[in-house]
Amino acid sequence: MSKTWGGRFSGETDRRVEAFTESISIDRRLYRHDIRASQAHARMLGSVGLLTPEEAEQIVRALGDIEGVIERGEMEFSTALEDIHTHIERALIERLGDLGRKLHTGRSRNDQVVTDVKLWLREAIDAQDQSLAQLQMALLGAAEKNRELILPGYTHLQRAQPVLAAHYFLAYIEKFQRDRDRLADCRRRANLLPLGTAALAGSSLPIDRERVARELGFSGIVENSLDASSDRDFVIEYVFVLSLVALHLSGWAEEWILWATSEFGFLDLPDAYCTGSSIMPQKKNPDVLELIRGRAARVTADLQNLLMLVKGLPLAYNRDLQEDKVALFDANDIVESSLEMAALIVSQGRFRESAIREKLDRGFLDATTLMEFLVKRGVPMRSAHEAVGKLVRTSEERGCRLEDLPAEDFESVAPGSGGEVFKVLGVSNALAAFQSAGSTAPAEVNKRLEYSRRRLGT
């Protein structure tokens, strides 16, 4: 098969080189985007007189036919044709002869490939945003369903203070909202058309890049031709955002893996998203959660791959950039499937409320609220902290809760507190005492639930 660049060469390309340099095994998924960009390019060539209007429409129709061939699985892919762009152009020439050879007028594969990737990436961002929204909806549903449930909150994996389960789910809604905001920002920067900057310097032909940008839905054109073909900032930025999504998912998965253990006993995971053991018949393993956690490593590795790929590259196109799609598609596909699994597990997972309540008074979750009670009575914060620490030690020695201590123990650190102190002791009282904005106070949580409902359009 003849190359698109073969005129300079007198000998055949070594088959091993063809196998080494091909990208068709990776970039064939860009076929729709390549055809769409080529159709817009053909119409533009017709509008500026480099093609007749009839020729342009002939090319547009033939490209549509080629798209159908690919979708039906009827195109034979060959490493000799290197990439999806050459496959489509070769198929066009087979249909239209010399007219097909005119399509590449005023462009290069350098600007063609980055255009295709940008078209693909816009769709990928929109799809990931929808997946994130679906996960947020699942989290909101879980928050509503468990809005009265109190959980122990942790720092350093040690029991710290009580929080409403709804507050817990709202925390992840906020994390994933930041991810959605970052995706939107990434999309804005990616939404500039590089097509028509050609190999590196532009074209001497009277092409109309703004027309192509309008047809393809770009907000404008890349203004510097040297930058256009070498820029992969938008790819790196997208995979960076995906890395954060993956890390957020990994942290959540780790919590649920722990909470589903017998040691915690907080959660029942749905059978449909767990597996068993080939030797231990009692096992119910959280394999899906473990893979979500594990695959975050691949996504962050993809980001590192891309950062090292562009390190030290001179301006304009270098063949190194062919490798960007390996990391890009891998990170995208992992996060897409992980988000889908996460939404299903959140929707179907069930808290073991009785088990949680049974153990809720362990760990002195009301200690900080007791300290703040003393602060409100005029005790300096550091003094109050020390006093409550001593009361906790006394409770540990006696094997009881803070609320089980007699009134005189509290009088010894806060004279005149009397029975008032017991109004903030115990998990329910401690939680009810919260009042700061953004806290786990029931009124604050209700406000954020209502806000999340509005933001998510429910």
Side-chain angles (χ1 to χ4, degrees), residues 288-359:
V288 173
L289 289 171
E290 290 171 348
L291 287 171
I292 289 173
R293 182 180 61 185
R295 287 175 183 170
R298 276 175 57 188
V299 180
T300 55
D302 288 328
L303 175 60
Q304 182 73 1
N305 183 334
L306 289 165
L307 290 169
M308 291 301 98
L309 181 66
V310 301
K311 177 187 176 296
L313 284 187
L315 274 176
Y317 185 78
N318 296 273
R319 192 64 177 265
D320 313 52
L321 294 175
Q322 174 178 299
E323 298 300 300
D324 63 348
K325 289 171 285 299
V326 178
L328 171 62
F329 294 158
D330 184 59
N332 179 82
D333 295 349
I334 289 171
V335 171
E336 184 176 56
S337 59
S338 296
L339 285 171
E340 180 184 17
M341 290 293 103
L344 291 167
I345 293 171
V346 167
S347 297
Q348 298 176 41
R350 296 290 180 268
F351 280 115
R352 294 172 177 161
E353 296 186 22
S354 60
I356 292 170
R357 291 192 178 102
E358 180 186 343
K359 303 174 184 177

